[in-house]
Amino acid sequence: MRTFTPSSRLARGALVALAGALSAVPIAFGNPAEAQAPEQSPQSAHGTVTITPTRDIACPIPDGSEFIDSWGTGRSGGRRHKGVDMASDRGTPIVAAQTGAINFKRSRLGGNAAWLTTSLGNKFYYAHLDRFEGDSRDVREGEVIGYVGSTGNAQGPHLHFEVHFEGQVSNPYPATFAACVQPQIDAALKAQLAIPEQGSTAAAVIAQRAIDIEIDIDIDIDAF
């Protein structure tokens, strides 16, 4: 299983910032699923509840990948990059970012590609798959939909992943980082807090150990 790759400087910076924020508040670790659950509007007179669109996604390549923020970088033909390129071994499983309907297609540019459309108005585009898993269908978040490849206009096996939240294409890096990398940072932080130093406040422990903690990540990959 490949390790996700934020820089150790970024990880330490995030931990130090968290330490400062926690210096005046108690620390509590809750259920991440509960913390990220989409809010619901009040119940109407007819008893219907509308779920607010969410930008929380499942990591598209849960078994591990390497990626950088390449949003807007130049591409052939004067195009601008509208996704994030997630490099991984050929054949690594790719999953649905949210629950919705997956529609597989093939094109010269995207190769084996797919559009995932959700009932919340979000769309996700996957390109360069080696092959599909099954046929076009309804899928659940986290369900395998295909495998990493290099079909179409691609150099080396990777997934080109786009997000279209509420109908607008946007930089997928923040949502992808939150889904694929942040959990590792959180887990490392929680492990550091498992045995607090005697006589230190939790915030002080975080600040001290954030300086020493090393999350060995290498994001030096080509922008495909």
Side-chain angles (χ1 to χ4, degrees):
M1 180 172 181
R2 184 176 299 193
T3 303
F4 293 107
T5 60
S7 66
S8 57
R9 177 182 300 177
L10 174 61
R12 286 195 296 269
L15 293 173
V16 171
L18 179 59
L22 292 178
S23 60
V25 297
I27 293 178
F29 289 102
N31 186 330
E34 296 176 356
Q36 298 179 6
E39 297 180 356
Q40 293 182 334
S41 62
Q43 190 170 1
S44 73
H46 300 287
T48 58
V49 175
T50 301
I51 301 177
T52 304
T54 176
R55 298 193 173 198
D56 295 333
I57 65 172
C59 181
I61 307 180
D63 285 347
S65 67
E66 296 174 347
F67 57 93
I68 60 175
D69 186 353
S70 58
W71 172 259
T73 56
R75 289 295 186 266
S76 60
R79 297 174 296 113
R80 293 291 177 182
H81 198 221
K82 295 182 179 180
V84 61
D85 287 334
M86 307 178 69
S88 191
D89 295 332
R90 188 180 305 277
T92 303
I94 296 170
V95 307
Q98 290 182 349
T99 296
I102 194 76
N103 181 31
F104 297 125
K105 58 183 294 184
R106 292 178 175 85
S107 67
R108 179 188 61 80
L109 191 62
N112 293 332
W115 277 101
L116 173 62
T117 304
T118 78
S119 61
L120 301 178
N122 297 331
K123 291 185 177 182
F124 304 93
Y125 178 63
Y126 301 74
H128 312 311
L129 280 67
D130 185 66
R131 65 187 190 278
F132 305 132
E133 176 66 26
D135 300 320
S136 298
R137 63 190 188 280
D138 291 337
V139 294
R140 303 291 298 176
E141 180 177 311
E143 183 176 338
V144 175
I145 59 173
Y147 303 89
V148 172
S150 56
T151 57
N153 185 12
Q155 297 179 3
H158 71 282
L159 169 67
H160 171 88
F161 179 66
E162 292 182 19
V163 299
H164 298 246
F165 289 126
E166 301 172 53
Q168 299 294 322
V169 63
S170 59
N171 187 352
Y173 182 80
T176 308
F177 184 95
C180 302
V181 180
Q182 192 62 50
Q184 292 200 35
I185 297 177
D186 294 343
L189 173 58
K190 189 172 182 178
Q192 291 296 312
L193 290 175
I195 307 176
E197 297 176 0
Q198 186 175 3
S200 300
T201 64
V205 173
I206 298 173
Q208 179 59 45
R209 294 186 178 181
I211 298 173
D212 302 324
I213 190 171
E214 290 291 342
I215 302 178
D216 185 16
I217 311 175
D218 176 13
I219 58 173
D220 185 17
I221 63 171
D222 294 332
F224 294 106

